[in-house]
Every structure is written in structure tokens, then in C-alpha cells.
């Protein structure tokens, strides 16, 4: 597929009213879909759009482009792979719920983090993205109210859009209207949020839990960044503060071990578990057993904690280097908060008029740098302009130095 066409479809002018992309029929530029097939598509397909990030990544992965676009871990931090610990039984079909010892490890770990769960409430996922899909299938149909932070993780919006969500947004800092009305589902990323990297305070965690309890909204807490912590902050799961509401908590091995393993997990209130595991069964029977056994052997290895410690040191250093570069090149044209964890800087560009940052992406790539425009992260488009997200974990120090300067020159000239 022609890359520039793909990018245009992902980042070109939207309808201006909604973060929902155009229908799949028009979003796939250059592909002819016969009217006969269009007439047979399921109604929900009209709400499906390509993920902007995955389309940008296709371009950004070129060797001549410095990419700050994706949430990619540093490839040099990936664990050495050894298949010696994997039993041949891993090649056989396995249980939908996941490998028993891995579920035990996760339940024990979450209990230490303040979320007391039994192993039989753990469902292993093929990446935590699958958890969003399963939960959306369970709770979201046309016009279902879903409360989200605005901005929020764009691939969660992609899933909720597909099922027909009607958004209401909340902000952890403005306490009284945390969850507006009675949304069926509340989706939050309280620890090192994507894209803002914000980390809720303890009071904000408790307030969100009380708001869900009061409204009866089911809470989906998405927590893939919690272990990438550079400065101290409260990280106890919001779900642990709930008294009445049903909940799902999920996390991932993508950011701390390797995303190519495609392994994550969810835990949930016991009453939700059977439906979620049947949905998982219907989707893919079970997650890859080789990945599960590999992850288990890494988690049980004597050096797991030391490995995580080293990763944190590596990323803290990268964050500090990136912060110094931003201070040098962006301080007169943007503002931001130094992230206490996670993988992103979220910049608000200073400008008399709102900037649609998608319009600058083509030119940035032509100059050899990719960034993530802020617009697709917003469920409320009117708040969207003039933000960009920059990932600091993947590029080398040298690439970051070059790329940040190029980007600052580009934004300054506009
Ligand atoms: C907030 C959030 N949730 C879920 C995911 C999906 O992660 P994975 O499917 O690799 O576990 C990501 C990936 O970047 C993310 O940022």
C-alpha cells in the first residue's frame, strides 16, 4: 500500500465533529470495495477506522526516520530468549483462562499491590488490547454511555467506537463531576496515562472509585505502564478502592518484557469472569502458550527484579535526556509536565490560533522525524488542537537530539 496515502487516510482532515474515522470503505484509500460487498457489511463496520498510530508506525519504522510516534520500548532492553525452559506440551491446545502457574504468579503479585484477587479471576490475554475488546463486547452497544478521560488511549477509542459508544469525559483533577450521569462503563488509565503520562494521586483514585460506586458504572482500569516508575507516586489500583461497583483491572507484559510476545491479562469481579472468558474463547480459544511459558520463566527467574530495576534506570536516563532537549528547543513554543513514569511527553504548543498538528506530520516525516499528533486521543474534538505526544523510550540519545531539534524548527516555523 502507498504509505503517503495511508498516512493521509489516518491523519488528514476528519469530519471535524467526531474522533470516529471515516467508514472503512473510504478510510482505505486506493482500495475499491464493490457496492455489493458494502451492502453486506455489518452495521458496526461503518464505525471502524484504521488506528492512526499503526498507520503512522508503518512510515515511522523506516530506517531514515527518527520515530517519537509509537509507544515502543527500547529494543535493546528486550530479554534474551531461551526456549530451553519451554516444555513440548506448550505446543498443544491449552486452557482459555491461561497457564495455571502464570495465573498464580499474577494473583500473588496483584495482591501485593493492594488488589486482593484469587488466581481463578485471572484471564490471560493476547495483549491487553484484547481486554479492551472483550470488555467493550460485553458492555458497549449502540449509544452506550462510556466515560473516558479526554485525552485517552486512542486504540481504546477505536474499539469503543466500533461498538457504538457515546462518550462522556471526566478529568481526575476536577473532583465533583468525575463520572457524568450514569455511564455503563468507565475507562481509565490512572498510572502514567497514555498520552499525558499523568499519575492520579491517592485522593483522585479514591474519588474515582467512589464516583463509580455511586453511579453503578463498571470500571475498566488499564494499567500497562505502572512498573515504569521514575519518580515516586501513588500506584495502588483504583479497583482496590471500590466498595460496590463491578470492575476489570488489566495490565501487560508489553512494556516491561516485550510487546511482540503479545501477552497481557485481566482480573475482574467474580461475576464478570464467566462471560469474559467465554468471549475470549470465542475470539481466540487461548493465548499463545509459548509466550505464556516464556513470560513465566522470566518472572520466576532470580534476576527479574534486577532486570526491571535496570530498565527503570535506562528509561529514567532517557527521560532526563529528552527533558533537557525539550528545555533547549521547545521551551519558548510549548509547555509540558515532566512524566514521573511511562513512555511519553505530552506537549501543548503555544499559539494564538489552534493548530491541527496532523497537518504538520507529513512535513515532519519528510524532514526525517515522526511524532504523534494529539487529535486522535480526544473523545471531545473541541479540546483537541495543539497537542503532540512524543515517545522517549525508543530513539537513541543521538537520534533524540537530532529529532527534537528538527521538530522544534518545524513547529516554530509554523
Ligand atoms: C493504555 C494502553 N492500553 C493497552 C495497550 C495495549 O498494549 P498490549 O496489547 O501490547 O498489552 C497500550 C499500548 O500501548 C496502551 O498504551
Amino acid at each position: 500500500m502507498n504509505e503517503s496515502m495511508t498516512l493521509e487516510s489516518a491523519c488528514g482532515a476528519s469530519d471535524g465533529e467526531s474522533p470516529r474515522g471515516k467508514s472503512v470503505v473510504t478510510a482505505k484509500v486506493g482500495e475499491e470495495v464493490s457496492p455489493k460487498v458494502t451492502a453486506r457489511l455489518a452495521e458496526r463496520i461503518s464505525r471502524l477506522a484504521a488506528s492512526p498510530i499503526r498507520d503512522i508506525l508503518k512510515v515511522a519504522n523506516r530506517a531514515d526516520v527518527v520515530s517519537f510516534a509509537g509507544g515502543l520500548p527500547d529494543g535493546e532492553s528486550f530479554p534474551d530468549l531461551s526456549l530451553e525452559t519451554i516444555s513440548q506440551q506448550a505446543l498443544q491446545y491449552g486452557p482459555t483462562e491461561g497457564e495455571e502457574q502464570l495465573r498464580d504468579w499474577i494473583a500473588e503479585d496483584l495482591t501485593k499491590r493492594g488488589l486482593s484477587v484469587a488466581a481463578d479471576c485471572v484471564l490471560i490475554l493476547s495483549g491487553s488490547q484484547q481486554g479492551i475488546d472483550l470488555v467493550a463486547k460485553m458492555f458497549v452497544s449502540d449509544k452506550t454511555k462510556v466515560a473516558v478521560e479526554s485525552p485517552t488511549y486512542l486504540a481504546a477509542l477505536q474499539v469503543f467506537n466500533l461498538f457504538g459508544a457515546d462518550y462522556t469525559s471526566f478529568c481526575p483533577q476536577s473532583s465533583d463531576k468525575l463520572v457524568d450521569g450514569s455511564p455503563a462503563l468507565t475507562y481509565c488509565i490512572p498510572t502514567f496515562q497514555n498520552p499525558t503520562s499523568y499519575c492520579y494521586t491517592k485522593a483522585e483514585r479514591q474519588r474515582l472509585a467512589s464516583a463509580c460506586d455511586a453511579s453503578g458504572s463498571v470500571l475498566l482500569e488499564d494499567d500497562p505502564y505502572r512498573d515504569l516508575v521514575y519518580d515516586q507516586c501513588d500506584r495502588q489500583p483504583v479497583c482496590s478502592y471500590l466498595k460496590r461497583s463491578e470492575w476489570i483491572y488489566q495490565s501487560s507484559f508489553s512494556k516491561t518484557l516485550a510487546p511482540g510476545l503479545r501477552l497481557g491479562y485481566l482480573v475482574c469481579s467474580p461475576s464478570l469472569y464467566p462471560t469474559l472468558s467465554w468471549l475470549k474463547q470465542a475470539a481466540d480459544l487461548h493465548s499463545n502458550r509459548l509466550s505464556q511459558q516464556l513470560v513465566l520463566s522470566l518472572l520466576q527467574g532470580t534476576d527479574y527484579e534486577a532486570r526491571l530495576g535496570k530498565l527503570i534506570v535506562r528509561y529514567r536516563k532517557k527521560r532526563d535526556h529528552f527533558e533537557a532537549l525539550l528545555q533547549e528547543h521547545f521551551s519558548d513554543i510549548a509547555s509540558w509536565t515532566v512524566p514521573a513514569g511511562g513512555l511519553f511527553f505530552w506537549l501543548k504548543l503555544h499559539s494564538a490560533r489552534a493548530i491541527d498538528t496532523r497537518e504538520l506530520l507529513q512535513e515532519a516525516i519528510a524532514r526525517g522525524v515522526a511524532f504523534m499528533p494529539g487529535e486522535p486521543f480526544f473523545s471531545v474534538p473541541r479540546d483537541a488542537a495543539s497537542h503532540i505526544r512524543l515517545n522517549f523510550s525508543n530513539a537513541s540519545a543521538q537520534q533524540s537530539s537530532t529529532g527534537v531539534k528538527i521538530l522544534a524548527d518545524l513547529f516554530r516555523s509554523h
Side-chain angles (χ1 to χ4, degrees), residues 73-74 230 311-319 392-393:
D74 184 343
Y230 318 126
L311 188 67
I312 289 169
V313 170
R314 174 188 281 263
Y315 284 167
R316 186 187 290 119
K317 203 168 147 199
K318 285 198 160 202
R319 177 204 63 175
F392 61 83
S393 54

Side-chain angles (χ1 to χ4, degrees), residues 30 44 52 79 89 159 174 298 335 356 385 387:
R44 76 179 80 87
Q89 261 313 100
V159 178
S174 57
L298 290 164
S335 48
D356 185 334
H387 287 92

Side-chain angles (χ1 to χ4, degrees), residues 130-170:
Q130 185 176 44
I132 302 172
D133 183 65
L134 301 183
V135 171
K137 275 182 186 150
M138 183 165 173
F139 289 104
V140 183
S141 43
D142 204 13
K143 302 207 171 49
T144 301
K145 278 261 176 253
V146 178
V148 293
E149 297 144 336
S150 188
T152 189
Y153 175 46
L154 58 84
L157 292 178
Q158 185 190 32
V159 178
F160 297 143
N161 288 343
L162 177 64
F163 291 98
D166 179 16
Y167 296 110
T168 163
S169 65
F170 67 92

Side-chain angles (χ1 to χ4, degrees), residues 34 184 278 285 340 413-414:
S34 97
W278 294 332
L285 305 184
S413 69
H414 281 267

